[in-house]
């Protein structure tokens, strides 16, 4: 693919994190330009640029069960501007919780956007437990044995312009069992409370 | 206290809901999110670390969070946008993350986080749309269900047609005030 064929749209306010790492992994195979969604100002020019490519891949974090507000604003702006003509749209969303269902709504947002605005929804990839990576390679993911080949297969779908089924990421990330979940709850809470106490806070203190 | 946060860019819905809730005698606080100066969350995580419980960005969200932290019911009212909420409402949702309990616990076999709010606070979402498909309505309701799950709060979501009449909103107001 050349640069006029694919746009890799980075929808996180943090420049280096798991969303960036995943998009760079896509770019290593497909090529294309990484474009950042600006966190301020008009989005009209970005929309016009989106209309010049054949394929758009959006990668972003999961905030409160879907993509961040600024990406929603971009989709709303794009819908107002109009002018899309069948561009292929793929989505990647990653979040901290190890459950697909917690983050999946982001892909539903993109699917409805595509269907209502003359783009072609091609599928996406949901990555749970992604926040813990914090930009480290996907090979460090707790379920890397299944997640790495599944995500690389997703990239191949993008490279070939083929649809990517939800089953690809669903089968790679079964929900952890109750014992693992209990261990996670204790371990993560221990780490969080340790960090708060280091900063001098009591996690039970009321909101000021 | 019931806090109403509405995106009124497509209709005066927030005021209409406030009027419908007035007969309940509950204290009502209303914010029109599309008229507030709210910056998008930057994901800096300061609110769960260095400045625990406080956002470093100084804008209108400071006053909104104070009210949400003390309310018995939070109602978000939004046009249904691609199966979810509008960006005005999503900005509020993203910034309310600072009220999230950073600790993890198990509920129904899954990790949840909970909220540092008034115990028993209820959370509602009202989506307004024009001839929404069943799929889009389902997605909106599902978003609310996922929010409630991770926040470990009770509440309901409602979908209204954009040409809703007063009685439809009064019915929603009744559901909200009776729970």
């Amino acid at each position: 693919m050349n640069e006029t064929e694919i746009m890799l749209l980075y929808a996180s306010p943090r420049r280096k994190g798991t969303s960036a790492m995943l998009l760079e992994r896509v770019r290593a195979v497909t090529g294309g330009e990484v474009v950042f969604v600006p966190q301020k100002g008009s989005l009209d020019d970005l929309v016009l640029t989106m209309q010049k490519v054949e394929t758009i891949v959006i990668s972003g974090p999961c905030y409160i069960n879907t993509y961040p507000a600024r990406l929603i604003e971009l989709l709303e702006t794009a819908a107002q501007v109009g002018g899309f003509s069948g561009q292929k749209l793929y989505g990647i969303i990653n979040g901290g919780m190890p459950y697909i269902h917690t983050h999946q709504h982001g892909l539903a947002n993109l699917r409805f956007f595509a269907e209502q605005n003359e783009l072609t929804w091609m599928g996406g990839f949901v990555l749970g437990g992604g926040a813990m990576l914090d930009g480290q390679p996907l090979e460090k993911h707790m379920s890397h044995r299944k997640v790495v080949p599944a995500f690389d297969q997703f990239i191949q779908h993008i490279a070939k312009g083929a649809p990517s089924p939800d089953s690809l990421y669903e089968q790679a990330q079964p929900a952890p069992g109750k014992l693992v979940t209990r261990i996670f709850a204790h371990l993560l809470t221990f780490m969080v409370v340790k960090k708060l106490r280091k900063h001098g806070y009591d996690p039970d203190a009321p909101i000021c | 206290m019931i806090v109403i946060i509405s995106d009124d860019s497509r209709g005066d819905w927030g005021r209409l809901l406030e009027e419908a809730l007035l007969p309940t005698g509950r204290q009502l606080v209303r914010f029109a999110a599309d008229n507030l100066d709210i910056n998008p969350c930057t994901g800096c995580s300061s609110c769960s670390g260095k400045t625990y419980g406080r956002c470093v960005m100084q804008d209108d969200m400071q006053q909104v969070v104070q009210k949400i932290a003390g309310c018995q019911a939070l109602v978000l009212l939004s046009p249904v946008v691609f199966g979810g909420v509008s960006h005005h409402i999503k900005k509020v949702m993203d910034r309310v993350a600072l009220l999230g309990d950073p600790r993890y616990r198990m509920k129904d076999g899954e990790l949840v986080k909970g909220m540092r709010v008034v115990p028993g606070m209820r959370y509602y979402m009202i989506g307004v749309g024009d001839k929404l498909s069943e799929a889009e309505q389902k997605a909106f309701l599902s978003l609310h269900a996922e929010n409630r799950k991770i926040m470990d709060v009770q509440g309901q979501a409602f979908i209204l047609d954009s040409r809703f009449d007063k009685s439809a909103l009064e019915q929603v107001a009744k559901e909200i005030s009776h729970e």
Side-chain angles (χ1 to χ4, degrees):
Chain A
M1 285 185 164
N2 65 43
E3 287 192 2
T4 58
E5 292 178 354
I6 187 166
M7 171 192 275
L8 306 171
L9 197 53
Y10 183 52
S12 173
R14 297 174 65 223
R15 284 289 166 122
K16 291 179 186 181
T18 302
S19 305
M21 176 274 290
L22 293 170
L23 212 53
E24 284 297 335
R25 197 174 180 108
V26 173
R27 184 159 87 113
V29 174
T30 64
E33 185 190 357
V34 172
V35 175
F36 294 91
V37 176
Q39 295 301 301
K40 287 181 195 180
S42 171
L43 293 163
D44 288 4
D45 286 349
L46 178 53
V47 171
L48 295 176
T49 309
M50 287 165 73
Q51 291 170 355
K52 291 178 184 163
V53 297
E54 292 175 13
T55 299
I56 303 164
V57 182
I58 297 178
S59 176
C62 181
Y63 286 6
I64 318 293
N65 302 116
T66 188
Y67 284 113
R70 193 62 172 157
L71 179 65
I72 307 298
E73 187 175 2
L74 174 63
L75 302 181
E76 286 185 56
T77 304
Q80 277 167 4
V81 170
F84 287 90
S85 51
Q87 282 82 354
K88 293 179 178 175
L89 179 63
Y90 296 88
I92 304 166
I93 186 165
N94 79 91
M97 289 298 217
Y99 312 110
I100 301 294
H101 67 77
T102 307
H103 319 300
Q104 209 165 15
H105 191 274
L107 298 191
N109 272 151
L110 295 184
R111 179 167 59 86
F112 287 117
F113 164 71
E115 288 171 359
Q116 293 171 25
N117 293 284
E118 311 287 336
L119 290 94
T120 307
W121 174 241
M122 301 298 284
F125 199 98
V126 176
L127 181 69
M132 281 192 284
L133 285 175
D134 197 21
Q136 293 178 91
L138 199 56
E139 282 73 11
K140 300 260 186 190
H141 190 274
M142 57 187 175
S143 303
H144 61 91
R145 284 197 183 85
K146 287 190 175 178
V147 164
V148 167
F151 190 75
D152 286 346
Q153 180 62 52
F154 171 67
I155 297 175
Q156 288 302 317
H157 288 316
I158 298 173
K160 291 172 188 166
S164 184
D166 291 345
S167 55
L168 191 58
Y169 60 81
E170 285 168 349
Q171 286 165 11
Q173 300 167 82
K178 283 187 182 170
L179 179 60
V180 171
T181 301
R182 197 176 295 279
I183 294 169
F184 263 150
H186 285 297
L187 184 61
L188 292 170
T189 295
F190 172 77
M191 287 163 56
V192 154
V193 171
K194 187 177 167 190
K195 177 180 158 189
L196 286 175
R197 296 220 154 107
K198 183 181 147 192
H199 289 296
Y201 293 109
D202 172 5
D204 288 315
I207 305 280
C208 294
Chain B
M1 174 172 55
I2 299 175
V3 171
I4 302 164
I5 303 176
S6 57
D7 175 356
D8 294 339
S9 56
R10 303 184 200 190
D12 202 12
W13 303 327
R15 185 184 58 79
L16 293 173
L17 177 64
E18 188 180 23
E19 280 175 8
L21 282 166
L22 270 173
T24 65
R26 305 273 293 271
Q27 183 190 357
L28 303 172
V29 174
R30 181 168 68 88
F31 296 101
D34 52 306
N35 275 342
L36 293 175
D37 171 32
I38 299 177
N39 293 300
C41 177
T42 63
C44 70
S45 298
S46 195
C47 59
S48 60
K50 277 187 204 169
T51 60
Y52 178 52
R54 193 170 50 82
C55 181
V56 294
M57 288 193 283
Q58 295 297 315
D59 55 20
D60 288 342
M61 199 58 205
Q62 305 290 337
Q63 52 167 317
V64 175
V65 162
Q66 285 300 317
K67 294 298 181 190
I68 294 174
C71 76
Q72 278 78 33
L74 169 64
V75 185
L76 302 181
L77 204 170
S78 173
V80 175
V81 174
F82 312 130
V85 296
S86 69
H87 75 276
H88 291 299
I89 294 298
K90 190 63 180 27
K91 267 197 286 190
V92 171
M93 287 167 76
D94 291 350
R95 296 280 300 276
V96 170
L98 73 88
L99 291 177
D101 192 326
R103 295 167 290 189
Y104 294 80
R105 56 179 193 270
M106 260 185 86
K107 185 172 179 179
D108 299 331
E110 286 197 357
L111 289 173
V112 297
K113 304 240 7 211
M115 297 288 285
R116 294 181 309 128
V117 292
V118 170
M121 185 205 86
R122 300 187 77 87
Y123 167 56
Y124 300 91
M125 260 170 54
I126 304 172
V128 184
D130 189 24
K131 293 178 189 167
L132 294 170
S133 68
E134 204 176 304
E136 209 170 346
Q137 291 186 48
K138 193 175 163 190
F140 184 87
L141 297 173
S142 165
L143 175 63
H144 177 257
E146 290 291 342
N147 287 169
R148 282 195 295 107
K149 189 180 274 190
I150 200 166
M151 290 156 59
D152 195 18
V153 292
Q154 299 297 311
Q156 278 191 75
F158 307 91
I159 304 263
L160 294 177
D161 184 88
S162 58
R163 286 152 299 179
F164 63 79
D165 60 20
K166 208 172 148 194
S167 63
L169 206 49
E170 281 170 357
Q171 186 57 39
V172 170
K174 208 180 272 186
E175 301 269 352
I176 290 171
S177 59
H178 280 175
E179 284 193 345

